[in-house]
Amino acid sequence: MKDQVLRVAIILGSTRPGRNGEAVCQWIYGIAKKRSDATFELVDIKDFNLPLLDEPIPPSMGQYNQEHTKVWSSKIDSFDAYVFVTAEYNHGIPGALKNAIDFLFKEWNNKVAGFVSYGSAGGVRAVEQLRLVMAELQVATVRAQVQLSLFTDFENFSKFKPALYNENLVNTMLDQVIAWGGALKVLRTKKD
Ligand SMILES: Cc1cc2nc3c(=O)[nH]c(=O)nc-3n(C[C@H](O)[C@H](O)[C@H](O)COP(=O)(O)O)c2cc1C
């Protein structure tokens, strides 16, 4: 049945003009689309024009005042799992991505996330921070992750040319996201 097919968002976390994240996201999406065990959609945070968090009531209460929050909420709520594609800024999570995550709460709960990161050290410090943030949102994070180096997976730090072995890593990460995503979907269905 259609509603049993897992829906996975590939979330582009950089909103910067000229961002490398766009090419990384398109590459992930191209690999993911070859699979038949889930459906995939690109979600570009930039498209949602979120300001710095401007909701008066904490998101965990689920009472949204702003139209942009309602649109973002409805998009994120529609997925069973997320792949965060993140850069590393000053050894941490890009502010635009953290802000977008903070806007919502229950939409993330009891779901699963995988990570693809890029940076001079593979963006792994941003992912370690994201894992902590996800824990508070009750998102299960899978072990397999893809870490792309600005030195070896990009030319001149800007033209994306991923080493071939990364494609297998993407699929291993997606295997784990889809397996846990299916399990947590059962949990959410029981709760509803
Ligand atoms: C504000 C800022 C801070 C950065 N800090 C780091 C960093 O701490 N570690 C790192 O590996 N790269 C760092 N970089 C380089 C980024 O990883 C690189 O520019 C990457 O392409 C950014 O992703 P984006 O182009 O999708 O925005 C930083 C870049 C910016 C713009």
Side-chain angles (χ1 to χ4, degrees), residues 14 16 18-22 87-92 118-121 123 125 150 157:
S14 169
R16 212 172 56 86
R19 56 202 173 161
N20 278 328
E22 211 164 307
E88 177 177 296
Y89 291 168
N90 296 316
H91 290 200
Y118 50 97
S120 56
R125 292 167 289 216
L150 285 178
F157 305 103

Side-chain angles (χ1 to χ4, degrees), residues 9-175:
I10 300 169
I11 299 181
L12 172 47
S14 169
T15 55
R16 212 172 56 86
R19 56 202 173 161
N20 278 328
E22 211 164 307
V24 177
C25 260
Q26 288 294 347
W27 171 72
I28 301 287
Y29 187 50
I31 297 168
K33 272 196 308 187
K34 293 183 202 155
R35 302 177 64 113
S36 56
D37 50 357
T39 59
F40 300 88
E41 186 177 321
L42 282 177
V43 175
D44 185 348
I45 285 173
K46 197 174 178 168
D47 291 342
F48 293 84
N49 292 315
L50 296 168
L52 286 176
L53 181 59
D54 60 350
E55 286 290 345
I57 301 172
S60 57
M61 308 295 283
Q63 294 171 39
Y64 303 134
N65 281 290
Q66 311 286 4
E67 193 51 35
H68 50 252
T69 313
K70 292 175 189 168
V71 173
W72 178 235
S73 161
S74 145
K75 176 54 74 181
I76 291 304
D77 200 39
S78 72
F79 295 103
D80 302 296
Y82 311 96
V83 172
F84 288 97
V85 177
T86 184
E88 177 177 296
Y89 291 168
N90 296 316
H91 290 200
I93 307 167
L97 176 57
K98 178 63 165 55
N99 184 57
I101 291 169
D102 289 345
F103 259 95
L104 307 177
F105 187 78
K106 68 171 181 17
E107 297 81 349
W108 303 112
N109 292 174
N110 297 315
K111 294 183 180 171
V112 56
F115 304 98
V116 177
S117 59
Y118 50 97
S120 56
V124 292
R125 292 167 289 216
V127 172
E128 289 302 297
Q129 292 185 9
L130 268 172
R131 287 181 185 279
L132 292 175
V133 172
M134 291 292 119
E136 172 59 9
L137 294 167
Q138 286 185 257
V139 175
T141 59
V142 302
R143 176 175 185 263
Q145 68 187 63
V146 183
Q147 49 207 60
L148 301 158
S149 165
L150 285 178
F151 294 100
T152 55
D153 295 304
F154 291 81
E155 270 178 18
N156 297 322
F157 305 103
S158 57
K159 190 160 194 284
F160 186 44
K161 286 210 163 177
L164 282 179
Y165 65 83
N166 286 305
E167 182 160 345
N168 282 342
L169 296 177
V170 172
N171 276 312
T172 303
M173 179 270 295
L174 291 176
D175 288 344

